[in-house]
Amino acid sequence: MSQTPETQQAKAAFIASKVGLGFWIYLMTDLVLFASLFATFAVLRNNTFGGPGGPQIFNLPYVLVETIILLTSSFTAGLVTISVSRANKRLALVFLAITFVLGLSFVAMELSEFSHLIHDGNSWTRSGFLTAFFTLVGTHGLHISIGLLWMLVMGYRIFKKGLTVNTIRQVTLLSMFWHFLDIVWIFIFSIVYMIGVL
Amino acid sequence: MKQVVPPEVQIASRRTLKGYITGFLLSLLFTVVAYTLVQTHLGNGHAVVSNNILTIVIAILAAAQCIVQVVYFLHLGEEAKPRVRFLAFLFMILVVTILIAGSLWIMNNLNYHMMTPEAINKYVEQQSQGGF
């Protein structure tokens, strides 16, 4: 059975647009997961059970640095998409590597913050407030870690296979995922940290 | 086999560096403004504005930054008709609003109705300070 290039292109375009939409729907449902954790945090924010509250444990300059690192990595993830669309494999790999390093430093900073809190006796078992805090921020950190794993796989695939239809589509979805995680972090930064210290 | 460019990439190739830089700078601005407001507020001992007003200001800044990133990074506005993604996005906002506002409403109401006698006295005292 033979197909003309036009129908094949239309078919591939149709499949690709469905994949993009499916991933978008996944992102929306993931946002509902985060919303339920935000709601839990908002409800439990004052239940400190005699333990420390936000003003005592949050280090604002530290969180600002974390935020700017993640924001910059979201920007470089956008630059990966641009390099890919201009068929520049080397530049795409360079920006993917930069995004990976920035994401890794973000996770390292977050883990260091967590270990300080636990070391001071303020782990998730201390109070309802800290349980909600660790669950919300930890779930975001888990997503970031999975994104980092995905970046490693993508970097390897682009390096091996070059910019094919499949790798281009996958790296586009990866950058969508990364931008989405940065948007979730805006709300963690604003609601948990900024409003939390007032 | 002929290589076919998926529509995401066709759209992406029309995207410019300028859009990403604009989004990045605006996001940076909103973040730093929110941070500076909070630090100033803590520095002057909550003197200039009340906590409630600052909370609303920070929430507005967060929403503005969210819109900036959805438009410049996720390119929600560039979708062709029918705008299925935009519809899914709006529906998600509705679900999130119901989830968060509803949880706060129910739990605050529950706290209000489950007060101990001491807590009721304290609450009435606090309310009367503001004038009935």
Side-chain angles (χ1 to χ4, degrees), chain B residues 38-109:
Chain B
V38 169
Q39 284 291 37
T40 322
H41 182 70
L42 294 178
N44 64 24
H46 308 228
V48 181
V49 289
S50 75
N51 277 353
N52 288 341
I53 292 174
L54 194 58
T55 303
I56 293 168
V57 170
I58 291 172
I60 291 172
L61 282 171
Q65 195 180 338
C66 175
I67 292 170
V68 163
Q69 294 207 8
V70 166
V71 169
Y72 287 104
F73 289 174
L74 288 176
H75 312 283
L76 190 61
E78 295 172 13
E79 196 185 6
K81 279 183 181 176
R83 301 196 174 89
V84 185
R85 291 186 192 197
F86 186 60
L87 267 179
F89 184 71
L90 287 184
F91 178 63
M92 186 277 307
I93 290 178
L94 177 72
V95 171
V96 167
T97 311
I98 292 172
L99 194 60
I100 293 180
S103 299
L104 281 171
W105 183 13
I106 290 171
M107 295 311 286
N108 284 338
N109 190 264

Side-chain angles (χ1 to χ4, degrees), chain B residues 5-64:
Chain B
V5 184
E8 271 87 0
V9 181
Q10 288 174 1
I11 293 168
S13 63
R14 274 185 262 126
R15 284 171 199 158
T16 53
L17 192 60
K18 212 176 131 196
Y20 279 101
I21 292 175
T22 314
F24 179 58
L25 291 181
L26 279 176
S27 303
L28 210 57
L29 179 75
F30 285 132
T31 304
V32 172
V33 166
Y35 177 80
T36 315
L37 283 178
V38 169
Q39 284 291 37
T40 322
H41 182 70
L42 294 178
N44 64 24
H46 308 228
V48 181
V49 289
S50 75
N51 277 353
N52 288 341
I53 292 174
L54 194 58
T55 303
I56 293 168
V57 170
I58 291 172
I60 291 172
L61 282 171

Side-chain angles (χ1 to χ4, degrees), chain A residues 52-71:
Chain A
Q56 285 86 46
I57 56 170
F58 293 152
N59 181 352
L60 288 193
Y62 192 83
V63 176
L64 182 69
V65 173
E66 268 185 299
T67 306
I68 289 174
I69 286 178
L70 196 64
L71 182 60

Side-chain angles (χ1 to χ4, degrees), chain A residues 114 118 121-135:
Chain A
F114 281 3
I118 294 169
N122 299 322
S123 77
W124 49 86
T125 55
R126 182 69 189 85
S127 64
F129 158 70
L130 282 165
T131 308
F133 168 78
F134 273 101
T135 313

